[in-house]
Amino acid sequence: MEPPKRRRSNTRARLLEGALEVFAERGFNGASVEDICDRAGFTRGAFYSNFASKDELVLALFQATTDRLLEQISALLPEHVDQPVALLDAVLGLLDDAPPDQRRWHLISTEFTLHALRNAEAARALNEWRARFRGQLTQLVSQSGLTWSVPPEQFVRLVMALHEGARSQSLLEPRKVPSGSLERTFLPMVLSAVTSRS
């Protein structure tokens, strides 16, 4: 018999995967808890024993994705410690590959951001998650051995903003703006302008 802790973990994973599919198909507001449960093969009780709301579920999706990304970036640091541009390029590659489907992920993250702009509680939760993620990325960036003329957190904010905006353009105009092309063109220039060797 499966241990309760593992069973709960598997239930959460299936609910998250089901939600990812349903949100992409029907939108955050259009998807109901019942839709998510049907897709995952569970009851409402299973949902509410794992998540208090759809908002909490989306934030869990974000957290799972960024946890994997941060682990991968940490693994890259030792071999790129003296090659900041190569490290940046490798990180951009991870950002492109992190979610299994860029279009599906972009739809969910954009819709939840719009939801948060209209809902103070969702905005507070989203800002807390983004601050944690940004802080962890900033900590990794600060280990680069570079001297910064701007706070490293500001560079991280710029990377996130450019990546999110560029992803919209590449999804809408993939031939004119291939995925990652804007980031790979401009971020090395910015990095060079705001850093120097220690």
Side-chain angles (χ1 to χ4, degrees):
M1 187 174 175
E2 192 177 36
K5 189 172 182 180
R6 183 179 297 172
R7 186 165 59 246
R8 180 178 173 82
S9 177
N10 289 340
T11 300
R12 280 179 65 88
R14 283 172 55 189
L15 285 166
L16 289 170
E17 182 57 34
L20 195 59
E21 294 172 4
V22 174
F23 286 148
E25 291 170 11
R26 303 182 189 180
F28 175 77
N29 289 317
S32 68
V33 169
E34 288 78 7
D35 293 332
I36 295 165
C37 292
D38 286 346
R39 186 65 58 94
F42 291 112
T43 63
R44 285 172 60 91
F47 180 94
Y48 286 112
S49 68
N50 285 275
F51 304 104
S53 64
K54 286 195 302 180
D55 287 26
E56 187 177 298
L57 185 146
V58 171
L59 291 166
L61 276 172
F62 289 173
Q63 190 66 53
T65 301
T66 54
D67 283 349
R68 283 193 302 273
L69 179 63
L70 289 165
E71 284 177 18
Q72 291 169 318
I73 294 173
S74 295
L76 287 172
L77 278 173
E79 67 178 284
H80 292 93
V81 68
D82 295 319
Q83 304 168 311
V85 174
L87 176 60
L88 178 62
D89 187 63
V91 170
L92 292 174
L94 291 176
L95 285 171
D96 283 339
D97 296 338
D101 178 336
Q102 285 289 331
R103 182 179 183 280
R104 182 172 66 171
W105 187 253
H106 188 66
L107 287 169
I108 294 166
S109 60
T110 301
E111 285 197 341
F112 191 75
T113 300
L114 291 173
H115 168 66
L117 287 169
R118 297 184 181 103
N119 181 296
E121 189 175 338
R124 204 162 32 249
L126 181 59
N127 282 334
E128 287 173 5
W129 168 79
R130 289 177 70 90
R132 283 196 305 274
F133 179 47
R134 196 168 55 246
Q136 290 167 307
L137 272 180
T138 301
Q139 190 174 18
L140 292 174
V141 164
S142 299
Q143 296 171 21
S144 63
L146 296 171
T147 299
W148 294 81
S149 62
V150 297
E153 184 187 9
Q154 293 300 305
F155 180 73
V156 169
R157 281 185 181 272
L158 177 66
V159 171
M160 292 173 70
L162 179 55
H163 178 68
E164 290 168 7
R167 185 169 55 189
S168 290
Q169 294 188 48
S170 66
L171 288 169
L172 288 167
E173 301 180 275
R175 299 178 75 178
K176 290 186 177 180
V177 188
S179 180
S181 60
L182 289 176
E183 299 96 312
R184 285 186 168 84
T185 298
F186 293 103
L187 284 176
M189 296 186 224
V190 175
L191 181 66
S192 178
V194 299
T195 62
S196 60
R197 295 282 180 186
S198 297

